[in-house]
Amino acid sequence: MAVRTIRKEKDPCLYIKCREVKKFDERLSILIDDMIETMHAADGVGLAAPQVGVLKRVVVIDIGDGPIEMVNPVIMESSGEQGGMEGCLSFPGQSGYVIRPNYVKVEAYDRHGDLYEYEGEELFARAVFHECDHLDGKVYLRLVTDPPESAEE
Ligand code: NI
């Protein structure tokens, strides 16, 4: 396993739609292991393959319950709404208020080509939407809005 360089800011890899994975081979397995190590080393809760310069539909997520790998993820259902601060390992030192669905159900393959379904709320849902956006060349900054004003202001 190896920590890979995270692409940042204006790197073109962050703005390109990624290809589906067709081969579930050793190369994919190494990519996933490296992505998990890179995510953990950077203290992130998610990482998408284009962030390490690989334009394939692969994401890893770890919200504290251990890493989950998602190859060719497809969002099957979403509902509700949550607002909260969001950041991205490709835009260090920045964050912004983003509204996302509160619930997600997603289907994805693992490195062996077995299909799994995951569902979750709050941070998990936020991470899934954020990382899946990366696979379509979209970064969270386009979704940043003003936070709702608190009663004190
Ligand atoms: Ni990101």
Side-chain angles (χ1 to χ4, degrees):
M1 301 225 289
V3 171
R4 300 199 187 187
T5 302
I6 297 178
R7 305 298 182 100
K8 305 223 166 76
E9 309 277 348
K10 303 247 183 261
D11 190 300
C13 287
L14 298 175
Y15 305 94
I16 296 172
K17 190 174 164 74
C18 297
R19 299 181 300 274
E20 284 210 346
V21 171
K22 298 244 168 63
K23 279 194 214 159
F24 293 81
D25 56 7
E26 180 66 16
R27 194 178 169 86
L28 175 67
S29 190
I30 291 167
L31 170 67
I32 290 169
D33 284 340
D34 286 357
M35 285 174 62
I36 291 170
E37 191 169 346
T38 304
M39 168 179 66
H40 284 154
D43 219 6
V45 299
L47 189 72
Q51 292 182 276
V52 292
V54 178
L55 299 176
K56 290 180 181 172
R57 302 188 79 81
V58 179
V59 309
V60 295
I61 288 172
D62 189 346
I63 59 164
D65 305 328
I68 296 173
E69 60 203 49
M70 296 185 182
V71 179
N72 299 341
V74 175
I75 289 166
M76 309 301 288
E77 273 183 55
S78 67
S79 64
E81 194 178 281
Q82 59 172 317
M85 297 306 286
E86 196 164 313
C88 178
L89 295 176
S90 293
F91 299 90
Q94 297 183 46
S95 63
Y97 188 85
V98 176
I99 294 168
R100 300 278 191 185
N102 193 53
Y103 165 84
V104 70
K105 183 192 282 186
V106 57
E107 274 188 4
Y109 295 89
D110 70 358
R111 69 184 69 198
H112 308 293
D114 294 322
L115 187 62
Y116 290 88
E117 184 180 276
Y118 302 93
E119 61 177 346
E121 298 180 329
E122 300 178 6
L123 181 58
F124 179 78
R126 179 176 294 280
V128 168
F129 284 104
H130 179 112
E131 301 311 331
C132 287
D133 274 356
H134 273 302
L135 303 182
D136 291 326
K138 297 172 181 170
V139 300
Y140 83 99
L141 295 169
R142 85 206 150 91
L143 297 174
V144 169
T145 58
D146 291 330
E149 289 186 33
S150 71
E152 289 79 25
E153 288 174 341

